[in-house]
Amino acid sequence: MPGPSARLRPDADGSDEAFLGSDTGEENGGEDTGAPAVPPHLAAAVTDASAAVSHNLHGQKLGRKGRVTRERILAATIELVEKTDEPVTLGAVARSVGIGMTSIYNYFTDFTELLLAVLEPVMGSAQDEYFVLARDQWPDAELNARAMDFVRAYHAFWAKHTGLLHLRNSLADQFDVRIMHQRVNSTRPLIGLFVAQMDPRGALGDTAVLMATTLMTGIERSITLATDRRLRRILGTLPGRREESLLEVNARLMELAIRDMRERAAG
């Protein structure tokens, strides 16, 4: 938590723009060209997530520079987590952005809160990357092909965000309650989509929910292991065909689970 020196010098309109401008090396309207870049596939999502935040933790209205600083903090966190296996701390993020700890504490009380803010745009992008593939009812004749499309997209998402997602799961496994809630809440809507694939009329009740939960837990676990860069360094990279076979097996399990549930619901 920030100490008593974590004070703002607000603008006349009550925003923190003047303070943040001086603290981030942006005096006289200059730009900090050394700031980390937001990955292109997350740029819009990070901007949208930051735009939804109107005030900092001290109740000060965010000015333009305050919003930019918050975006840079998110970008630096993404970059550090994805590029290193070393523990990422608030201090490391502050050094990467080129600001003091006081400025970090204007926006985030601790690293968990920062990680949750980073995960928000990441999981938001999942809607267009793999959620969308499960929204329409899959025809019986296309179950395997549709399942394969979904599994490929899900694997690609994990491979793209491997550092962040593995860090999230690691903290959840260590019983970080806020991260545990994020993990469950981000998965629950996906499980709901597969319950609808299996049992659109709700005839099976909890049976379909349990099947969808078990299915997605198993698929997530196998893809988690396949995309864990630390395991790859220790055990070696899976041969391309073996990784493809893993996706095919997951798709086949998904197909069988959906088909079995549909037959039970119809019977």
Side-chain angles (χ1 to χ4, degrees):
M1 294 290 294
S5 63
R7 299 187 302 272
L8 293 174
R9 298 199 299 274
D11 283 341
D13 66 354
S15 77
D16 60 357
E17 186 167 330
F19 172 79
L20 289 170
S22 63
D23 194 38
T24 60
E26 294 177 337
E27 296 99 328
N28 304 317
E31 297 293 333
D32 184 352
T33 57
V38 178
H41 59 276
L42 284 179
V46 167
T47 298
D48 290 345
S50 295
V53 179
S54 60
H55 293 73
N56 65 24
L57 297 185
H58 299 277
Q60 297 291 331
K61 180 181 176 182
L62 290 182
R64 179 187 62 82
K65 291 179 181 177
R67 293 184 185 280
V68 169
T69 298
R70 190 177 188 279
E71 287 186 32
R72 290 166 61 216
I73 292 170
L74 297 182
T77 305
I78 293 170
E79 186 174 59
L80 287 171
V81 171
E82 293 296 349
K83 290 187 176 181
T84 180
D85 291 334
E86 296 299 317
V88 177
T89 63
L90 287 179
V93 173
R95 288 191 295 274
S96 179
V97 178
I99 61 177
M101 288 299 294
T102 297
S103 287
I104 288 282
Y105 285 128
N106 286 335
Y107 304 97
F108 306 103
T109 58
D110 55 25
F111 185 76
T112 291
E113 188 173 299
L114 172 55
L115 182 59
L116 289 171
V118 168
L119 286 168
E120 181 182 352
V122 169
M123 298 314 300
S125 70
Q127 296 294 327
D128 293 330
E129 296 198 32
Y130 62 82
F131 269 78
V132 66
L133 298 177
R135 294 195 185 282
D136 297 330
Q137 190 74 0
W138 296 348
D140 288 339
E142 299 176 13
L143 276 181
N144 186 261
R146 295 292 194 95
M148 194 67 195
D149 288 343
F150 175 85
V151 169
R152 285 190 192 283
Y154 190 68
H155 177 271
F157 182 84
W158 269 85
K160 185 187 299 182
H161 304 294
T162 180
L164 286 169
L165 295 176
H166 283 91
L167 176 59
R168 180 199 68 176
N169 285 6
S170 176
L171 292 175
D173 290 342
Q174 296 171 40
F175 300 100
D176 184 315
V177 175
R178 287 173 290 170
I179 297 296
M180 291 172 69
H181 281 297
Q182 192 282 335
R183 184 181 184 183
V184 170
N185 291 336
S186 66
T187 305
R188 185 173 290 146
L190 187 62
I191 291 173
L193 291 177
F194 282 103
V195 170
Q197 291 289 345
M198 296 173 179
D199 182 24
R201 295 192 306 274
L204 299 176
D206 287 345
T207 300
V209 174
L210 290 171
M211 177 65 84
T213 301
T214 301
L215 175 70
M216 285 312 305
T217 300
I219 289 176
E220 183 195 43
R221 182 58 178 166
S222 66
I223 288 181
T224 297
L225 293 174
T227 57
D228 192 326
R229 62 192 179 205
R230 295 166 302 178
L231 284 180
R232 285 174 176 265
R233 280 197 293 272
I234 295 170
L235 303 178
T237 302
L238 285 173
R241 180 58 211 164
R242 187 173 178 188
E243 188 160 277
E244 179 69 12
S245 295
L246 173 65
L247 302 184
E248 291 172 357
V249 167
N250 280 329
R252 179 62 172 160
L253 288 173
M254 182 171 284
E255 174 195 0
L256 292 173
I258 294 173
R259 198 178 299 281
D260 178 64
M261 289 292 101
R262 287 183 181 181
E263 289 175 357
R264 291 194 194 187

